[in-house]
Amino acid sequence: MGGMCVWRVWVVWVCGVGVVTFTPTHAWIPFFGEELHKHLNLQSHHREWDILGLVGINGSQPGVSQAEGPLPDTPAWRLRHPYHNIQLHPSIVPKIASTLHDEISLYFVYKQHKKTIGSLLSINLPGKIKPFLQLLSNLKTQRLNFYYHINEDSKTHQASFKLPDKVGWTWTRLLLSVNQSEARLWVNCDHYHKTTLAGHINLQIPAQGLLYFRQEPGLKNKLIGSIQMAKLTNYASKDRLWKCSYDKQFGPNWRPPLLG
């Protein structure tokens, strides 16, 4: 029966308590894991912004159709070129800005077409060519580029991370967490990577700032593929927001197939 999965049940004893875990013997979704992010116990000053909800994405919009993603009970969307509803209402940006200080986390679950460049999120100022803040997934160079500003100068700085080979072949969970002058990146179940920023990050978005999802102003660098989660928080996450397990086909030693 083509769609069936068989599950093995294991009991692991932790501090004298039996914890039941489930391991599938075959997985149809390449990456799978238990999502922890749906109902976080946030502290009083913590804020979380659902970008997909704020732009009101739905299947009735041109260039959008429903997709099947890895997170259960969460809608996923396939994005094509005609989709242009990519800017948050200007009245929302100051509300987000008022919650930001010196920490931020950006969390995405997406499946991007190979050999494309997609802007996951971009904050821009009218008349400025370079972004105030941007997360760019470049699958031509297989790198994630984070553009940001710091308190010490007015330049646009860049931090770049190597993306695993499987990004572009499978659904990807990606979490970038910034705490003052350090950035950490988790991608699926790989070990995190960290880098030191050029200074203390400046998250004081100017009043005229505009926030874009999925592409830059001027229809540049569109994310072509599918999206299931896009969230921004005003605090630095200390670990990935999902538990990890592997199947036989897409384990930690997975490599893309040879082509040609």
Side-chain angles (χ1 to χ4, degrees):
M1 290 182 288
M4 182 175 292
C5 253
V6 180
W7 298 80
R8 291 196 183 108
V9 181
W10 303 88
V11 178
V12 181
W13 290 93
V14 181
C15 297
V17 179
V19 179
V20 179
T21 62
F22 299 86
T23 303
T25 59
H26 182 80
W28 295 107
I29 297 177
F31 170 84
F32 62 111
E34 180 184 347
E35 195 68 18
L36 301 179
H37 195 61
K38 280 194 171 183
H39 304 289
L40 288 176
N41 293 319
L42 301 180
Q43 297 182 26
S44 60
H45 62 282
H46 285 173
R47 294 293 182 270
E48 177 183 305
W49 301 91
D50 178 4
I51 303 301
L52 298 185
L54 291 173
V55 298
I57 189 170
N58 62 74
S60 67
Q61 298 167 327
V64 179
S65 57
Q66 199 153 10
E68 184 178 353
L71 308 184
D73 305 319
T74 304
W77 309 102
R78 186 174 292 107
L79 305 179
R80 300 184 300 279
H81 278 285
Y83 177 65
H84 295 315
N85 184 32
I86 46 82
Q87 182 183 336
L88 269 67
H89 193 278
S91 65
I92 299 175
V93 181
K95 296 177 182 178
I96 296 176
S98 68
T99 69
L100 298 177
H101 300 286
D102 56 2
E103 298 182 14
I104 191 172
S105 293
L106 300 170
Y107 170 45
F108 293 87
V109 180
Y110 71 111
K111 185 178 181 182
Q112 182 179 350
H113 286 190
K114 299 181 292 294
K115 304 299 181 182
T116 63
I117 303 175
S119 177
L120 300 178
L121 183 140
S122 181
I123 298 175
N124 295 75
L125 305 180
K128 299 289 186 180
I129 297 177
K130 294 183 178 181
F132 180 79
L133 187 91
Q134 184 181 32
L135 194 60
L136 189 76
S137 179
N138 187 338
L139 296 192
K140 290 185 176 181
T141 60
Q142 208 67 20
R143 300 196 73 84
L144 183 79
N145 297 322
F146 176 54
Y147 299 94
Y148 63 95
H149 281 75
I150 60 175
N151 293 328
E152 289 82 354
D153 62 42
S154 60
K155 301 176 183 177
T156 300
H157 297 269
Q158 175 184 344
S160 185
F161 299 86
K162 178 74 171 68
L163 287 171
D165 291 338
K166 66 182 69 175
V167 176
W169 292 89
T170 72
W171 278 93
T172 297
R173 284 174 169 91
L174 182 149
L175 172 66
L176 179 72
S177 175
V178 179
N179 185 351
Q180 298 182 3
S181 59
E182 181 183 87
R184 295 190 181 197
L185 176 71
W186 290 266
V187 180
N188 289 340
C189 292
D190 287 12
H191 294 295
Y192 74 82
H193 297 274
K194 70 177 179 179
T195 188
T196 301
L197 303 183
H200 281 70
I201 192 166
N202 177 7
L203 295 173
Q204 301 306 303
I205 304 172
Q208 68 272 31
L210 301 173
L211 195 154
Y212 296 86
F213 156 71
R214 192 248 178 164
Q215 69 187 45
E216 302 174 31
L219 308 181
K220 296 187 298 181
N221 293 329
K222 288 186 178 183
L223 174 67
I224 303 297
S226 300
I227 187 87
Q228 193 173 22
M229 190 73 71
K231 291 195 174 184
L232 179 155
T233 71
N234 71 338
Y235 57 92
S237 299
K238 297 180 180 179
D239 200 354
R240 61 170 59 91
L241 304 176
W242 55 90
K243 291 182 179 178
C244 283
S245 55
Y246 300 99
D247 64 9
K248 296 178 181 178
Q249 184 180 6
F250 289 91
N253 298 318
W254 181 89
R255 295 292 180 272
L258 295 175
L259 302 178

